[in-house]
Amino acid sequence: MMSSQKQQDEHLDAVIAGTISASDNLAAFLASLESTEDDVKAWCLRSDMGGYAQAEACDAAPVRGLLHGVCVGVKDIIDTADMLTERGSRSCAGRQPSSDAGLVSKLRAAGAILPGKTATTEFAYLDKTVTRNPHNLAHSPGGSSSGSAAAIAAGQIPLAIGTQTGGSVIRPASYCGVFGMKPSFGSISRAGVLQTAQTLDQVGVFASTLTGIGRLCDVIMTGADGMMRATQSAFHHPRCLVFDGLYDGVVETSVQDAVKAVTSSLGAAVTHLPAPEMIASYLAGHKAVYEVELAQNLGAICDAKSALVGLAAKATVAIGRTHHSDVYDAAQAMRICAIADLSSYFSSYDMLITPAATSEAPLFEEGTGNPTCNALWSFVGFPCITLPLTTGPTGLPIGVQLIGAMGADKKLLQLAKWLLDTYDASRSA
């Protein structure tokens, strides 16, 4: 794995340095699309002519940005002034934003090429889209950032942007066997990004390598500095925590065994503690906040264009409208409690290690999968990253999720580098 990732990082270095022209890099991207996209369906919109115009401008530019000439996929709930942003919904067909989202402006300023929009589930919610898992087309790539994860897994692009409100970065990254990171809440601007739940919505990143995660974070995170360097400098002597019994009865045994094999390779660095008793209450709080805020944010469009909106969004809007204000207030109070409770562990430990998803990717017909392993971290806003370290009984990827303290994003990348190195060394021994 490390050799392949080294080659991918070297390719990106060559594109950014200009050894490989932006135009040639775009041509390679388009060739990859021609060979895989009919099956994977990771893109809801392509802008080949726009991509070539961007590539030509990159090749002529005297100053090179941090992502100069690199193709980046952007989820179709993120506004782009030169491309439609239809939010995965027939109710938003033909929607053309007048300006770029804040993070898109940062990508363009860094020299990135945006050759289209990656597919999303409707309103980044539960109804599945047409995207398939590149590892096995009979299976789901996850939701809702399905297109972004699948495009990387198919080898079409090295970097992509997604969002997570429940588990829509970490879960599809796990299913598709790519790197995915949800940084600390609020660390990436949500200006120009569809709001579904203001307490929970968070922007995340996907990449084919850990270094790629750092590259993207350096560009779009507020005040980021040295995130890519952090992926190349392992944290020394980390204190790792595993919660025994976490998600018992929900996470499949094969996934538990796969993650246990990884944590066992880390030796004395890992401490086991019983999972906090309040986890189920925290997850219930996440659900209540999501339902109420989804109703607040999508209620009007569900009313005005009901025939064009899918069942999942309409059903949840209806549920959210039934909650009295005291339910919402109690859930927000639970969130404050959860942040304090879970933060306390990071005074003694550097990271928590958990499964990234409850199972391998489910069959396509079964939907986008269970977000239980991720919803808690969306609720409290802590940074988390999934590493594509292992596979399940059918050969599909299984990710290992690392969670860090709020604001400790750079440290989490260093911890991820340490874990990758340690696990690779244990398998080589």
Side-chain angles (χ1 to χ4, degrees), residues 114-135:
L114 278 55
K117 303 299 283 291
T118 54
T120 176
T121 59
E122 184 179 44
F123 301 129
Y125 199 50
L126 298 177
D127 282 328
K128 65 178 182 289
T129 185
V130 298
T131 308
R132 299 284 180 146
N133 192 313
H135 293 276

Side-chain angles (χ1 to χ4, degrees), residues 146-224:
S146 49
S148 293
I152 291 176
Q156 297 173 349
I157 50 172
L159 308 174
I161 310 297
T163 63
Q164 177 164 308
T165 307
S168 298
V169 169
I170 301 300
R171 187 172 82 261
S174 178
Y175 288 168
C176 291
V178 302
F179 291 86
M181 182 175 184
K182 181 199 75 61
S184 295
F185 180 86
S187 60
I188 300 174
S189 170
R190 294 179 293 170
V193 180
L194 172 67
Q195 179 172 282
T196 61
Q198 56 271 25
T199 299
L200 308 171
D201 291 342
Q202 291 152 79
V203 177
V205 297
F206 298 89
S208 56
T209 69
L210 184 64
T211 303
I213 293 288
R215 288 185 195 272
L216 268 179
C217 289
D218 270 336
V219 169
I220 66 173
M221 280 181 66
T222 301

Side-chain angles (χ1 to χ4, degrees), residues 334-407:
M334 183 63 70
R335 178 172 173 268
I336 294 171
C337 176
I339 291 171
D341 180 15
L342 296 168
S343 292
S344 67
Y345 288 94
F346 291 101
S347 61
S348 300
Y349 302 97
D350 298 301
M351 67 173 169
L352 173 68
I353 305 175
T354 79
T358 61
S359 66
E360 295 176 275
L363 290 169
F364 181 80
E365 291 75 14
E366 295 174 357
T368 62
N370 187 334
T372 296
C373 293
N374 323 117
L376 177 60
W377 315 111
S378 297
F379 193 44
V380 297
F382 296 176
C384 45
I385 187 168
T386 183
L387 309 179
L389 293 179
T390 184
T391 57
T394 70
L396 287 171
I398 291 176
V400 176
Q401 181 176 218
L402 316 181
I403 299 102
M406 189 68 160

Side-chain angles (χ1 to χ4, degrees), residues 95-318:
R95 179 181 177 274
Q96 178 58 68
S98 59
S99 60
D100 285 334
L103 70 90
V104 169
S105 296
K106 289 185 175 183
L107 288 171
R108 295 195 198 278
I113 296 173
L114 278 55
K117 303 299 283 291
T118 54
T120 176
T121 59
E122 184 179 44
F123 301 129
Y125 199 50
L126 298 177
D127 282 328
K128 65 178 182 289
T129 185
V130 298
T131 308
R132 299 284 180 146
N133 192 313
H135 293 276
N136 186 325
L137 298 175
H139 289 257
S140 170
S144 61
S145 305
S146 49
S148 293
I152 291 176
Q156 297 173 349
I157 50 172
L159 308 174
I161 310 297
T163 63
Q164 177 164 308
T165 307
S168 298
V169 169
I170 301 300
R171 187 172 82 261
S174 178
Y175 288 168
C176 291
V178 302
F179 291 86
M181 182 175 184
K182 181 199 75 61
S184 295
F185 180 86
S187 60
I188 300 174
S189 170
R190 294 179 293 170
V193 180
L194 172 67
Q195 179 172 282
T196 61
Q198 56 271 25
T199 299
L200 308 171
D201 291 342
Q202 291 152 79
V203 177
V205 297
F206 298 89
S208 56
T209 69
L210 184 64
T211 303
I213 293 288
R215 288 185 195 272
L216 268 179
C217 289
D218 270 336
V219 169
I220 66 173
M221 280 181 66
T222 301
D225 177 43
M227 295 291 281
M228 190 181 84
R229 290 197 300 274
T231 67
Q232 300 168 335
S233 175
F235 190 91
H236 296 296
H237 309 299
R239 302 161 299 170
C240 310
L241 176 62
V242 171
F243 282 146
D244 290 333
L246 184 66
Y247 311 134
D248 270 0
V250 179
V251 176
E252 292 184 0
T253 301
S254 61
V255 174
Q256 292 176 332
D257 290 344
V259 175
K260 188 180 295 182
V262 173
T263 58
S264 296
S265 73
L266 307 179
V270 176
T271 297
H272 290 258
L273 293 177
E277 295 180 358
M278 293 293 289
I279 293 293
S281 297
Y282 299 155
L283 289 172
H286 172 274
K287 183 173 184 291
V289 169
Y290 203 166
E291 289 169 347
V292 171
E293 293 186 349
L294 194 78
Q296 293 171 352
N297 292 305
L298 299 183
I301 197 167
C302 287
D303 292 340
K305 298 184 178 182
S306 178
L308 300 177
V309 176
L311 295 176
K314 288 192 291 189
T316 301
V317 164

